[in-house]
Amino acid sequence: MGRDGLGTAGLGSSGMGPAGLPPSSTAMLWVWLLLGSSWGPGPPGVGAVPRPTATYVLDDGGGLGRQFDGIGAVSGGGATSRLLVNYQEPYRSQILDYLFKPNFGASLHILKVEIGGDGQSTDGTEPSHMHYENDENYFRGYEWWLMKEAKKRNPQIKLIGLPWTFPAWIGKGENWPYDYPHVTAYYIISWILGAKQYHDLDIDYIGIWNERAFNSKYIKLLRYTLDKHGLQQVRIIASDRLWEPISFVLLLDSELRDVVDVIGAHYPGTKTVPNALLTQKKLWSSEDYSTFNDEVGAGCWARILNQNYVNGNMTSTIAWNLVASYYEDLPFGRCGLMTAQEPWSGHYKVEAPIWITAHTTQFTQPGWSYLQVDGHLEGGGSFVALTDGLGNLTIIIETMTHNHSQCIRPPLPHFNVSPQRATFYLRGSFYLVKTLQVWYSRLDFESANSILFKQLHPLDVWRGSFSIDLDVDEVYTLTTLKTGQKCSCPEPPPPQPFPSNYKDDFNIRNPPFSEAPNFADQTGVFEYFINGSDPGDHVFTLRQVVVQRPITWVSDADQTISIIGNFRWVNLTVTCDIYIEKQDDGGVFIAGRVDNGGIYVRRTKGVFFWVYADGTYRVTGDLAGEEVLMKGLSGVRASAWHTLTLNIQGASASGLLNGYPLWENVTISKPSNGWAAIGTRSFEFAQFDNFHVEAS
């Protein structure tokens, strides 16, 4: 924009002239400003109304601030990328490009994944590489695949592993991973070594136990074991919870301080604590955001990406979660940087947080350094400035307002942001910068007409000075780099509901993933299985394989359950062949109108049709089996295949066994809709085949 409205430009709050100028009269200052200032592009339609003006100096002459460690996201905690693997090409690769490809979309620097532990960890369970002590399999789940896809696009991306849950054998009967620290360390080291041996993946950082207690003895032993196995390059993050008590303990325990490389805090609200600063460790917001990915979510993300450093000296911010690829009606639906929850249609959506991420990630790299500046804008909002030490400079400015940038946690104290003019003076090695590239976003909360990551005309810098008009709810990136890009990719297919007629016979000899498409395990783990003892129609099945309650992160159900389908389903018929393996007290179910999962799985309601190895059956209105609607004899036994059919129409349900009516006219008052599901009475082996759901 032009140079209108110069009446207040260039004067800081002190009324002093710009840094580096000798004392002069007011008239001389006006001459300098008129000749030397160059106004930024500003958003479209901003007029010449005078604005409050403040000055800011960017100078590397006195040294630099903390080293920047990158922006990342979490796949896990849990099963948040579950549906992504089911996408067909080219859509799956397009989604991955938006997340990881440099100078394309989010261009993430860090990928943090869950080390699956067979337990519920927010939106589902992720399988362990060691269900049992004598069992190792480094091809379960999809995190290996996801890390390889990220590395394929960006070989420099940093990889982090963190456990939420652990298989039961780690605790030897106790719901605690630290009683036998050698066992836990061996388990984690096996995952790191397996990543390298089977997938050629180098893990850069390893965590302790997500948002749960840490144990100093275990952390020291983990470091010792890493070094013993030649994994000196793997750094330790602790404790992925709060700043305290880890910071205080590090100050007291020099041995522990020597082995912890990064203090990672979750949802710090852009603030740190004195003890964390005193440790002189790297400070990361190792999980943050966790907010619905609309414009408010984008505003939250824009604010904390800057202010985590400005307020809290945090040099990395990692979003939970990477991509919302789980059923939206599970807890924290659509809390990913983008949305990809319809593999059956190919539809996905590149949400606003992707482009807010790009404002930082496309113009910085880990290893750059922050400049030593306060970073608070006088009219509200913040800025950070980073350099590669080779003359490149990137400035990211955000002016997010309070109500448009609230994250899911913690509560956001009130603050004000108003339109303002900012004048920047470049000093030190930046004084000779002549031009800055400009990328711009404006979040619109009324007409849903946001401008996202748009390249504007370059900004001229004259004698180390430029000014820019800032409105509210904006993000600017001003940079010497010319590598930024916004992909103009083809539109994905339109959204479609889950197929109303869906079948899976699990007949796949070499499955690309251990889990069947679209099944989302909520307690237990359901894997493809080759049933070598069956000479007939059930050689390839789906098997529930967790037979001991894992070391939990939340309160997993006492029954195992995997959901599938459309949460809006009302009338449906579910048919499945079932095989009870546990003698005497084993049992399985099929279900419809299942209304819950994730961290709330224990309270799940629905219509559950159970058959047991003792020859009885039950119909219950809940997963826990406490609300019995019907019961009787079925004749079902273990070690034999049977076919169950559950038919729910309106307020009535009926069940068939091997094609013959077993019960009927059970009145259903609630829930009124929900997913289909399969599962078992306890943590036990059981098999499923020829699953079919038909809904209307």
Side-chain angles (χ1 to χ4, degrees), residues 391-684:
N392 282 309
L393 173 67
T394 292
I395 308 162
I396 305 113
I397 304 169
E398 62 81 22
T399 57
M400 295 300 121
T401 54
H402 178 275
N403 290 346
H404 293 160
S405 66
Q406 296 190 61
C407 304
I408 194 169
R409 67 180 79 86
L412 184 58
H414 184 72
F415 61 86
N416 292 312
V417 181
S418 57
Q420 58 194 294
R421 176 167 292 165
T423 298
F424 288 88
Y425 300 105
L426 307 186
R427 296 291 179 261
S429 64
F430 310 123
Y431 181 75
L432 297 179
V433 170
K434 301 298 183 185
T435 306
L436 292 170
Q437 306 300 309
V438 181
W439 291 81
Y440 171 70
S441 293
R442 183 188 70 203
L443 298 177
D444 189 317
F445 299 88
E446 295 178 1
S447 64
N449 191 28
S450 295
I451 298 170
L452 295 172
F453 201 58
K454 179 180 180 180
Q455 187 170 18
L456 303 182
H457 292 297
L459 184 155
D460 291 328
V461 181
W462 201 83
R463 292 186 180 177
S465 169
F466 68 89
S467 293
I468 184 167
D469 279 350
L470 305 172
D471 219 324
V472 299
D473 295 326
E474 293 183 331
V475 182
Y476 279 96
T477 299
L478 314 173
T479 180
T480 56
L481 299 183
K482 298 180 179 179
T483 51
Q485 294 183 51
K486 183 176 183 181
C487 171
S488 54
C489 298
E491 283 293 311
Q496 298 286 341
F498 193 94
S500 58
N501 193 335
Y502 184 84
K503 296 180 180 180
D504 195 336
D505 60 12
F506 313 117
N507 288 349
I508 180 166
R509 184 173 294 275
N510 295 302
F513 298 100
S514 59
E515 301 152 296
N518 304 321
F519 280 91
D521 304 345
Q522 301 302 308
T523 293
V525 172
F526 295 72
E527 295 180 352
Y528 281 117
F529 181 65
I530 298 178
N531 186 6
S533 63
D534 191 301
D537 299 330
H538 301 289
V539 175
F540 299 100
T541 66
L542 192 68
R543 191 189 199 198
Q544 202 294 119
V545 296
V546 177
V547 297
Q548 291 178 290
R549 186 180 185 84
I551 296 175
T552 56
W553 185 73
V554 294
S555 191
D556 296 28
D558 296 322
Q559 308 75 22
T560 74
I561 179 172
S562 188
I563 62 171
I564 190 170
N566 187 339
F567 187 76
R568 303 288 176 261
W569 279 345
V570 176
N571 300 320
L572 67 159
T573 301
V574 183
T575 300
C576 192
D577 298 340
I578 60 93
Y579 185 90
I580 302 171
E581 295 189 50
K582 187 179 183 183
Q583 303 293 324
D584 300 327
D585 61 347
V588 303
F589 70 80
I590 63 173
R593 292 190 189 173
V594 175
D595 74 345
N596 239 318
I599 55 177
Y600 308 117
V601 66
R602 288 186 71 86
R603 67 177 72 163
T604 298
K605 306 291 186 183
V607 183
F608 293 81
F609 176 15
W610 307 78
V611 291
Y612 304 109
D614 64 1
T616 64
Y617 79 89
R618 286 193 177 195
V619 183
T620 69
D622 60 342
L623 175 63
E626 296 172 352
E627 184 186 342
V628 179
L629 306 176
M630 178 78 81
K631 62 181 181 179
L633 297 175
S634 68
V636 169
R637 292 289 185 269
S639 304
W641 283 96
H642 301 277
T643 301
L644 303 184
T645 301
L646 171 65
N647 184 30
I648 307 172
Q649 301 292 325
S652 179
S654 60
L656 287 76
L657 174 64
N658 300 324
Y660 294 95
L662 181 62
W663 54 273
E664 55 189 359
N665 297 328
V666 170
T667 300
I668 308 300
S669 58
K670 57 182 181 179
S672 58
N673 56 275
W675 297 289
I678 56 175
T680 64
R681 181 182 195 173
S682 64
F683 290 96
E684 62 186 89

